[in-house]
Amino acid sequence: FTQIQAAVVAGSQVSCEINIPVPSGGGAVDPNQVNVKYLMGGVAPGVTLPQAADAAACGTTDGWYYDVPTAPTKIMLCPTTCTAVQGDAGASVKIELGCSSVIL
């Protein structure tokens, strides 16, 4: 477990497509070391969302996936999560780098 770097996206219109943040120390992001947390109403600690293989693997559960699994540039929220986040005026989504991804 290494030190976590986090980026927070907040507001009533949190996008369902989030650019992968650039590490503060530079270098590349390890796609296996990314977690996404949804803070309902912006309240910590939030819920860590599992990573799905792709949109189809999301089903009706909460989660996220990469735009391009082999060379990701964006984190895509699963449809159920997207609906919940966009319906939550105080929503925050936190991207954490540096810990093994939670997989769906």
Side-chain angles (χ1 to χ4, degrees):
F1 192 76
T2 60
Q3 184 176 2
I4 295 175
Q5 174 188 333
V8 178
V9 179
S12 61
Q13 288 300 310
V14 173
S15 176
C16 293
E17 296 182 16
I18 303 164
N19 289 328
I20 296 173
V22 176
S24 59
V29 172
D30 180 344
N32 298 311
Q33 301 272 311
V34 175
N35 279 301
V36 177
K37 279 191 172 181
Y38 169 36
L39 286 72
M40 291 172 241
V43 179
V47 177
T48 301
L49 302 171
Q51 179 187 358
D54 54 31
C58 289
T60 58
T61 61
D62 283 325
W64 63 278
Y65 58 96
Y66 287 120
D67 58 340
V68 180
T70 55
T73 60
K74 292 185 182 205
I75 290 168
M76 314 292 287
L77 298 181
C78 289
T80 300
T81 304
C82 180
T83 299
V85 168
Q86 291 196 330
D88 179 351
S92 292
V93 175
K94 184 177 184 179
I95 311 303
E96 298 178 333
L97 307 176
C99 286
S100 294
S101 300
V102 175
I103 307 295
L104 181 66

